[in-house]
Amino acid sequence: MKYEIVTLKEKIVVGISARTNNLSPDMGSTIGGLWNRFYNEGVYASIPEKTDNKALGIYTDFEGNEKSDYTVMVACETSAEPEGEAFAEYDVRRIPAGRYARFIVHGDMIQAVAAAWQDIWQMDLPRTFRCDFEEYQNDSMEHAEIHIYVGLQ
């Protein structure tokens, strides 16, 4: 699977999150539930100061490797941290600046991403296991373009 090495600046992201594990039988429903809440319960629409219209699937707080528990977050990038009690239920995080392997995936939004991660997990990348994320370039379910960023040492 082809990729390029890119250097990213820090990003402020706002959204919702949960803990899961790739071996957990409810991992798919946990992640799918976050996406459902994000779009269908008004989370995305209520986040102020978005830098663009892209949604992000973020994976952080790994406990050491791809088989560990981690935090999954569905979010969007913002130009500032939202303030006020109305945003207390949302998570605010920072995607760290640094080097990332960027993979560009096209196809069915769910199947293409799942297949790409299966390939990435098999690769011998010098991963940090600090933060990986998906950046959805469009909202087409059948003809999606997704950029997957894997944090590198």
Side-chain angles (χ1 to χ4, degrees):
M1 188 169 188
K2 291 171 38 174
Y3 63 91
E4 68 175 315
I5 305 292
V6 297
T7 301
L8 300 180
K9 295 178 181 177
E10 180 181 78
K11 297 176 182 283
I12 299 169
V13 295
V14 178
I16 53 177
S17 66
R19 292 286 288 171
T20 192
N21 183 301
N22 288 344
L23 303 177
S24 174
D26 66 347
M27 186 251 317
S29 63
T30 297
I31 294 172
L34 286 174
W35 283 104
N36 183 55
R37 283 183 52 213
F38 189 69
Y39 281 113
N40 296 328
E41 294 180 20
V43 174
Y44 176 80
S46 69
I47 295 172
E49 299 185 53
K50 294 178 199 69
T51 59
D52 54 39
N53 294 324
K54 299 173 185 174
L56 303 172
I58 306 164
Y59 308 94
T60 62
D61 305 325
F62 297 95
E63 294 178 357
N65 60 53
E66 69 273 10
K67 296 179 182 172
S68 301
D69 286 351
Y70 57 89
T71 299
V72 60
M73 181 177 188
V74 177
C76 54
E77 183 179 358
T78 61
S79 57
E81 292 187 23
E83 296 180 12
E85 201 167 306
F87 303 104
E89 67 187 63
Y90 299 153
D91 293 323
V92 178
R93 292 187 178 240
R94 294 177 184 273
I95 293 176
R99 289 176 4 109
Y100 290 81
R102 180 175 70 177
F103 300 83
I104 298 177
V105 178
H106 295 94
D108 177 87
M109 189 176 287
I110 297 169
Q111 293 174 355
V113 168
W117 277 114
Q118 290 295 326
D119 290 343
I120 292 167
W121 292 328
Q122 302 304 313
M123 298 175 77
D124 187 24
L125 294 170
R127 296 180 64 182
T128 62
F129 290 102
R130 192 168 156 211
C131 182
D132 301 329
F133 66 98
E134 304 151 359
E135 182 180 66
Y136 292 82
Q137 305 300 306
N138 60 37
D139 61 0
S140 171
M141 289 300 289
E142 296 84 25
H143 304 288
E145 179 178 328
I146 305 107
H147 296 184
I148 299 176
Y149 294 86
V150 176
L152 300 176
Q153 297 175 7

